Amino acid sequence: MANTDFETVMGLEVHAELSTKTKIFCSCPTEFGAEPNTQVCPICMAMPGTLPVLNEKVVEYAVRAGLATNCTISKDSKNDRKNYFYPDTPRAYQISQYDKPLCEHGYIEIEDDNGNPKRIGITRIHIEDDAGKLNHNEFNGGALVDLNRAGVPLIEIVSEPDLRSVGEVDRYLKKLKSILEYIEVSDCKMQEGSFRADVNVSVKRKSSKEFGTRTEMKNMNSFRAITRAIEYEAGRQIDVIENGGKITQETLRWDDVSGKTFSMRDKEDAQDYRYFPEPDLVAIRLSDEYIENIKKSLPEMPESRRERYINQFKLSEKDAKLLTASKYLSNMFEAAEKICGNGKAVANWLLSDVSRILNEKELEPVAIPFTAENLAKLIELIDKGTISSAIGKKVIEELFENPKDPEEIIKEKGWIQISDEGAIMEVVQKVLNNNPQSIQDYKAGKDRALGFLVGQAMKETKGKANPQMLNKMFLEELNK
């Protein structure tokens, strides 16, 4: 149970892998999932005598991210060496940015827990290269290093400690993820580690103006895990303080199975990394024209799309907000609406059955296996009366398992709607004969009896009867 005497203070350091075709300092490809150590070269393996060359696209993408998050873009920045040893960091230093980042002093607007607008400050956005990956072998012991990810370009987005609840953290991360997807600088696939956060947590008594000592949880790539970890860590810190102890500044590991944090090491400060300017790379100089051209190329953002959906398609604010939260879902909505011309129906299917299945399978919208054309075709089949909405739900389930033309699916499964009056009348008569009590209930003014009878008829025809015809025929028979 939350202790109301304390306030939790949080700041986030989000790492987003940029979706450039090549790495930040060499021409190796960046595709995810290749065989270990097949996307490497002497530069990203840090062989002696090699020199990095900065990928210009990385700078462009970082500036795009900065402009989309209301940052000031620095016309004069540089790269620095951040020195630390780790087995998957082949140089024993990371090329990052220290005192002259590309972007500073931005913000993202979210809603607080009461629905009021709140600005979360962004301290800086800087570019750096990713480390490799250790693959631990739990059976034979030891670990193998895969350097495919070493040198993949990152932006690190550092927030101010402005977040005060897990709800605010969740909304901030989802908004930031959405922005990066819209401006197409990162695919933000959390399951592949291309959008992950370091979470800084501290607690303080509400009466105190000073922040408490913070701890940091590294490389978290699940919204649910982040929420659970913050709740646990804030509770742990409050217990320590109330029992007379002191919080140690340290880096923690979150264990999702036990639901607890464990100490990894003391938290480093800037001096521990012994930053100094990267001598092998020249300074980064940007012209006003360069920044302005990137600004003009930014696409329509979520807020603008949301307003357009409300005005153009007459969607509710809630539905428009849900659709535009994911660029992929929003793009699918627009593409399907263009084909079938029924925006309300497209929104309903995406926000009900499609979103439900995504949640059940714990998938992001980008993992929807069927196309906007498939969805539009399904809606057209329902609008024409070829299938009922009940059958449409079955088709959506099938599309997730076996994505293909919905018309093929309904033919294969024998799901074409029964619209033959004689066949439907037979079913109506059978249901009425089997449910005399419902007939009495309807005549006694219980309107729900009609819904029950229609439901029984749909069950009898396995959802294939035309529901409008069923309603009409039942009413005719009941009102005789």
Side-chain angles (χ1 to χ4, degrees):
M1 196 158 165
N3 188 313
T4 52
D5 293 339
F6 285 85
E7 181 176 56
T8 308
V9 178
M10 289 150 290
L12 300 176
E13 297 161 24
V14 172
H15 292 85
E17 286 186 1
L18 299 178
S19 46
T20 54
K21 289 188 170 66
T22 56
K23 293 185 181 181
I24 187 168
F25 300 122
C26 65
S27 57
C28 289
T30 56
E31 286 103 351
F32 179 82
E35 286 295 309
N37 297 310
T38 56
Q39 296 183 165
V40 294
C41 72
I43 294 172
C44 53
M45 292 175 77
M47 297 295 184
T50 56
L51 289 171
V53 177
L54 181 59
N55 181 344
E56 188 184 339
K57 207 74 180 166
V58 172
V59 175
E60 180 195 324
Y61 281 11
V63 171
R64 280 171 79 85
L67 291 169
T69 53
N70 308 293
C71 287
T72 302
I73 308 302
S74 171
K75 289 184 276 188
D76 175 23
S77 68
K78 64 178 174 63
N79 293 100
D80 298 278
R81 289 190 183 181
K82 181 181 181 181
N83 295 276
Y84 65 93
F85 172 75
Y86 206 66
D88 58 8
T89 309
R91 294 190 219 94
Y93 62 84
Q94 180 185 35
I95 299 178
S96 182
Q97 292 189 296
Y98 176 45
D99 56 334
K100 286 188 172 184
L102 271 168
C103 319
E104 291 183 285
H105 313 307
Y107 66 86
I108 287 177
E109 196 161 279
I110 63 164
E111 289 180 352
D112 66 15
D113 291 345
N114 298 315
N116 302 312
K118 179 176 179 177
R119 281 189 179 182
I120 306 301
I122 290 176
T123 314
R124 55 189 280 146
I125 300 176
H126 61 261
I127 58 173
E128 59 189 22
D129 58 344
D130 208 346
K133 188 176 181 184
L134 287 176
N135 293 317
H136 299 278
N137 189 321
E138 57 188 279
F139 300 108
N140 299 327
L144 299 171
V145 67
D146 176 10
L147 296 179
N148 281 347
R149 199 175 66 180
V152 167
L154 296 174
I155 48 173
E156 182 174 344
I157 303 155
V158 183
S159 85
E160 294 285 333
D162 291 342
L163 297 150
R164 293 293 179 274
S165 72
V166 289
E168 288 184 4
V169 168
D170 191 62
R171 288 187 287 279
Y172 169 81
L173 283 170
K174 285 176 178 170
K175 180 79 174 278
L176 180 57
K177 181 174 180 283
S178 175
I179 289 169
L180 297 181
E181 287 172 343
Y182 268 83
I183 61 175
E184 296 180 346
V185 301
S186 174
D187 62 24
C188 294
K189 291 180 180 174
M190 297 181 81
Q191 70 278 16
E192 294 179 6
S194 56
F195 184 87
R196 53 192 195 262
D198 298 344
V199 184
N200 291 284
V201 179
S202 68
V203 297
K204 69 178 186 68
R205 293 192 185 275
K206 286 182 178 173
S207 55
S208 170
K209 289 183 180 177
E210 282 188 28
F211 288 169
T213 302
R214 66 192 166 93
T215 59
E216 181 181 36
M217 293 173 282
K218 300 285 281 188
N219 285 328
M220 305 197 67
N221 64 345
S222 148
F223 293 133
R224 183 172 170 274
I226 288 168
T227 299
R228 289 179 67 215
I230 290 170
E231 286 174 342
Y232 172 81
E233 179 57 18
R236 183 192 71 83
Q237 290 188 20
I238 290 167
D239 285 346
V240 169
I241 293 165
E242 291 205 308
N243 288 318
K246 284 193 174 181
I247 303 301
T248 306
Q249 183 173 315
E250 58 186 341
T251 298
L252 304 171
R253 176 179 66 83
W254 167 252
D255 183 77
D256 213 36
V257 177
S258 66
K260 295 180 179 180
T261 53
F262 296 92
S263 180
M264 287 170 66
R265 57 181 183 269
D266 291 347
K267 173 78 181 98
E268 298 89 347
D269 285 317
Q271 64 266 23
D272 296 322
Y273 291 121
R274 305 185 311 284
Y275 282 101
F276 64 85
E278 170 53 75
D280 294 335
L281 289 165
V282 295
I284 302 167
R285 303 265 192 271
L286 305 180
S287 66
D288 289 328
E289 183 186 20
Y290 176 86
I291 296 166
E292 192 55 36
N293 284 341
I294 293 175
K295 197 177 212 171
K296 285 176 184 168
S297 75
L298 288 175
E300 183 184 32
M301 298 303 280
E303 286 83 357
S304 169
R305 273 199 188 187
R306 186 165 76 227
E307 291 306 312
R308 182 163 61 80
Y309 287 6
I310 293 166
N311 298 324
Q312 186 178 339
F313 303 114
K314 309 302 175 204
L315 298 184
S316 69
E317 187 171 347
K318 182 186 174 188
D319 286 356
K321 197 172 181 180
L322 288 168
L323 275 179
T324 54
S326 158
K327 188 188 182 197
Y328 190 83
L329 212 58
S330 179
N331 284 354
M332 190 170 224
F333 166 77
E334 296 204 359
E337 189 281 331
K338 203 170 276 185
I339 297 165
C340 70
N342 189 342
K344 278 273 175 75
V346 177
N348 287 341
W349 282 104
L350 285 173
L351 296 176
S352 57
D353 290 74
V354 173
S355 292
R356 172 183 59 77
I357 295 167
L358 287 173
N359 287 336
E360 285 169 3
K361 294 178 178 287
E362 295 186 354
L363 296 173
E364 295 283 315
V366 72
I368 294 172
F370 53 88
T371 64
E373 288 78 12
N374 293 149
L375 181 60
K377 183 76 167 282
L378 172 65
I379 290 163
E380 286 172 343
L381 290 167
I382 294 168
D383 289 345
K384 283 180 199 165
T386 309
I387 59 170
S388 64
S389 293
I391 293 295
K393 290 175 178 289
K394 292 184 180 182
V395 175
I396 286 285
E397 297 270 0
E398 190 65 24
L399 280 170
F400 267 92
E401 301 305 320
N402 187 16
K404 61 180 175 182
D405 188 327
E407 204 155 15
E408 285 183 42
I409 292 172
I410 63 170
K411 280 177 184 170
E412 283 174 13
K413 301 280 185 182
W415 286 343
I416 293 174
Q417 183 163 273
I418 303 166
S419 294
D420 177 83
E421 283 194 22
I424 290 180
M425 181 51 80
E426 275 185 42
V427 175
V428 168
Q429 292 294 353
K430 183 180 176 183
V431 170
L432 288 171
N433 290 336
N434 291 339
N435 295 280
Q437 183 60 49
S438 294
I439 298 171
Q440 288 176 29
D441 289 346
Y442 178 79
K443 291 188 183 293
K446 294 179 181 174
D447 292 340
R448 277 192 299 182
L450 174 63
F452 171 77
L453 290 166
V454 171
Q456 291 301 302
M458 290 300 276
K459 198 172 175 182
E460 181 73 24
T461 60
K462 295 180 179 167
K464 290 195 283 185
N466 184 314
Q468 287 80 19
M469 290 177 75
L470 275 178
N471 260 298
K472 182 170 172 282
M473 287 185 184
F474 270 118
L475 282 169
E476 285 171 357
E477 292 298 309
L478 290 165
N479 292 323
K480 276 182 178 176

